[in-house]
Amino acid sequence: MHDVEEIAALLDEPEPSAGAVARGRERLERRVLAGRARRRVGWFVPGVALAAAGAVAAVVFATGAPTNDGAPVTGKEVLLMAAVRAERTPQGSGTYWHVTRRWLSSDAPPIESWTRRDGKRWTRAVPGDPAGAVIQAPEGKTLRLKGAKVSFEELEGLPTDPEALKASLVARKGQERDMSASEMRGDPTLTLLALITDLPAPGEVRSAAFRALAATPGVENAGAVEGGQHLRIPDPDGDTDIELVIDPEEARVVRANLILVDDGDLAFSAQFISVTTEWTDQLPAVKS
C-alpha cells in the first residue's frame, strides 16, 4: 500500500481511485517539500529557559506558514505521514543509543548521552558534569518511561496498536515524584511524545505513538519551517502549547520546546531544542 492510500485509510476516507492516488501523492510530496523549497526565514533573539540548567540566550527561526494551493497540510496529516514512514523504518543497531540535544544558537554546549543495552549510561555537558568530559552516569540513571526504569526489551515489546499502546502507558506504574500531573491522572500525551522523541522505541511502536497523537484533540500545524512541519499540541499540564517540528519523511522530531528526556528528566525552552538520535558503536574517551 502506498503512503497516500495508508493515510487515506487512517483518516477513514474511502479508498481512492488510481488517479486520485497519483494526484494525492503529488500534492502530499509538494506539501512535505514546501518547508525546504519555499521557506521564508527571519531571526530574532529571545530569552531561553532551561529546566534544571539555568537560563541561556538563543536564536531561533521565525517563519511564515506556507500553503499549497490554499490548503495547508493539517497537524493530523503530518502525524499520520510520520506514522506510515516510521512503520517502514528498519530497527537500527549499535552498541549505544546516542542522543544529542542542543539549545539553538546558544553558548551552551549540546547535552549528550550514550546508553548501552544493559542500561549503563554515559553523559557529556549534563548540568554538574565536568566541562567537556564524558562521564559514567550515576548508578540507576538510565532510560525511564513514565516515572519508571524501562529496558530496551520493554520498549521493543510495547503494543503496536495505538489504542493498545495508550492503554498500556496509562496502566504503567511509576514513581509519582518522577511523573507529570497529567501522567498521574492517566493522560498519555507526554509519554507518547517521549516515545517519538528521545527513547529507542522500534519503528512499529513509534508508528503507533504517532497515530495515537494524531487523534489528540487540538493538534494544529503552524506550517512548513526549516526541517519539517511546525506542530502545536495542547500541553496537558498547562495553558500553553507543546511545539515541535516534525520531519514526516524521516518520521522524527527535529526540535521541540519541551522534551521528556530519555532518562526521565524534563527539558524546556522558551523556544526550541534540537534533537538528534542514532545508534553508534563509538563511545568517546571516558573521564575516570
Side-chain angles (χ1 to χ4, degrees):
M1 184 180 288
H2 294 295
D3 289 0
V4 175
E5 292 171 303
E6 290 197 35
I7 294 164
L10 292 171
L11 289 168
D12 293 324
E13 295 176 355
E15 183 177 349
S17 66
V21 168
R23 291 192 299 274
R25 186 182 301 110
E26 182 182 356
R27 288 196 302 271
L28 206 56
E29 289 172 352
R30 289 205 307 268
R31 290 178 182 181
V32 172
L33 293 173
R36 297 174 176 86
R38 301 192 310 185
R39 61 180 178 267
R40 179 167 55 86
V41 179
W43 301 90
F44 64 98
V45 183
V48 173
L50 165 60
V56 295
V59 178
V60 299
F61 294 112
T63 64
T67 63
N68 181 59
D69 299 329
V73 64
T74 68
K76 181 176 182 178
E77 289 170 335
V78 170
L79 290 166
L80 292 179
M81 281 188 269
V84 170
R85 292 291 189 177
E87 192 168 30
R88 297 178 180 177
T89 301
Q91 176 76 332
S93 62
T95 306
Y96 306 96
W97 177 248
H98 178 214
V99 182
T100 303
R101 305 168 203 88
R102 186 185 300 273
W103 278 253
L104 296 182
S105 300
S106 77
D107 294 331
I111 294 176
E112 297 179 85
S113 62
W114 295 260
T115 307
R116 207 165 59 187
R117 291 190 70 92
D118 62 4
K120 290 187 178 179
R121 182 179 179 88
W122 294 261
T123 62
R124 177 160 56 194
V126 168
D129 285 357
V134 174
I135 65 168
Q136 186 168 347
E139 189 71 26
K141 193 70 169 175
T142 187
L143 300 181
R144 299 181 75 85
L145 180 66
K146 196 185 173 186
K149 292 181 184 179
V150 64
S151 68
F152 287 81
E153 291 75 19
E154 285 179 286
L155 290 170
E156 291 162 0
L158 287 172
T160 57
D161 173 80
E163 291 303 317
L165 177 61
K166 286 196 293 185
S168 173
L169 297 177
V170 169
R172 183 176 174 81
K173 304 299 182 183
Q175 298 285 337
E176 288 194 359
R177 66 175 181 270
D178 295 326
M179 295 164 60
S180 68
S182 60
E183 286 176 317
M184 286 190 285
R185 66 173 183 268
D187 187 317
T189 301
L190 295 182
T191 321
L192 290 167
L193 286 171
L195 289 174
I196 66 169
T197 305
D198 256 33
L199 287 166
E204 290 186 347
V205 174
R206 298 180 70 252
S207 176
F210 276 118
R211 295 182 194 200
L213 287 167
T216 302
V219 175
E220 297 179 351
N221 184 12
V225 294
E226 180 75 20
Q229 300 284 327
H230 180 178
L231 302 192
R232 295 191 179 104
I233 297 177
D235 184 347
D237 289 318
D239 298 326
T240 58
D241 289 331
I242 299 169
E243 303 199 29
L244 59 162
V245 175
I246 289 180
D247 180 349
E249 290 183 320
E250 299 295 330
R252 73 183 189 93
V253 176
V254 177
R255 56 188 181 273
N257 69 341
L258 184 149
I259 296 173
L260 268 74
V261 180
D262 60 357
D263 66 357
D265 286 342
L266 178 69
F268 172 78
S269 167
Q271 299 299 332
F272 283 112
I273 306 162
S274 72
V275 183
T276 304
T277 60
E278 63 175 352
W279 286 99
T280 180
D281 290 322
Q282 304 301 316
L283 176 68
V286 177
K287 181 181 177 63
S288 56

